[in-house]
Amino acid sequence: MKNILVVLSGPSGVGKGTVVSELLKHGNYALSVSCTTREMRDGEREGVSYFYISKDEFKALIGHDGFLEYNEHFGNFYGTPRAFVENELKSRDVILEIEVDGALQVKKAYPDALLIMIAPPDENELRARLKKRGSESEEKIEKRIARMQYELSKREEYDYTVVNDVLETCVSSIENIIKSEKEKRND
């Protein structure tokens, strides 16, 4: 059966990381590792957290179509390395957890990618989850809510939207989508 690239996106606080952790526990998935030009932080590991490369190396990869998507934040580059994803796809499905604009870049570069938007039950629930974290000011929460509205406005460009209300149900839905898509694509 042909393996697929599964791209998961959703607003901050929707539980993407938790969903991805559960998917990795349940299935034979590879998690895509991005490249970055920023310095490694304490606790991070090469090839696990990121592939750490120089700006010159990053720019050379851009010139050789080496990324499915890339962007720049605060003077550092981040990108999804095409070779890593394609190599992993030889043996298993690959999960890429990424923001909306990057996901849409991936879809252009890799049209077979399966885009799944993870959505909150509603704005109030997302706001409550962000407050529960206790790590952000009210101002940052409001910025994240505004960003959520932008991100959710892009869901029509995704193949599926799954609401993360109950974690187990959300994970099960995504697993069923992946299974169904693999069956369709391999007929």
Side-chain angles (χ1 to χ4, degrees), residues 44-73:
E44 292 181 337
R45 294 184 3 229
E46 171 67 29
V48 176
S49 306
Y50 287 99
F51 295 111
Y52 299 91
I53 62 176
S54 71
K55 285 186 180 176
D56 288 340
E57 289 170 305
F58 200 101
K59 289 175 182 175
L61 281 168
I62 291 171
H64 291 97
D65 198 27
F67 293 107
L68 294 177
E69 62 79 34
Y70 67 91
N71 58 45
E72 183 180 1
H73 290 291

Side-chain angles (χ1 to χ4, degrees), residues 74-186:
F74 306 111
N76 289 302
F77 290 96
Y78 297 83
T80 302
R82 182 184 298 274
F84 177 83
V85 169
E86 290 175 352
N87 187 53
E88 289 295 326
L89 282 170
K90 291 175 186 173
S91 60
R92 54 193 170 163
D93 298 322
V94 176
I95 296 175
L96 173 57
E97 178 190 339
I98 194 168
E99 54 83 34
V100 171
D101 296 325
L104 297 176
Q105 283 183 47
V106 169
K107 190 69 168 180
K108 285 180 185 168
Y110 200 88
D112 286 344
L114 173 63
L115 271 58
I116 302 174
M117 171 74 68
I118 302 174
D122 58 47
E123 184 179 316
N124 290 334
E125 176 62 24
L126 184 66
R127 187 181 304 277
R129 290 179 188 180
L130 290 169
K131 284 183 179 182
K132 187 177 176 185
R133 283 181 175 178
S135 62
E136 297 176 22
S137 68
E138 193 63 37
E139 181 183 338
K140 279 192 177 180
I141 289 172
E142 290 308 315
K143 284 182 181 179
R144 291 195 186 278
I145 295 295
R147 177 72 183 171
M148 173 202 71
Q149 292 163 346
Y150 166 75
E151 291 172 335
L152 293 179
S153 77
K154 299 292 185 183
R155 70 177 144 201
E156 285 76 32
E157 298 181 56
Y158 277 65
D159 300 300
Y160 296 89
T161 298
V162 177
V163 175
N164 187 11
D165 192 5
V166 177
L167 177 63
E168 295 78 16
T169 304
C170 177
V171 171
S172 177
S173 295
I174 292 170
E175 289 172 329
N176 289 334
I177 289 167
I178 295 168
K179 181 180 178 202
S180 172
E181 283 293 322
K182 284 185 77 154
E183 288 170 358
K184 273 196 261 182
R185 294 171 186 213
N186 288 289

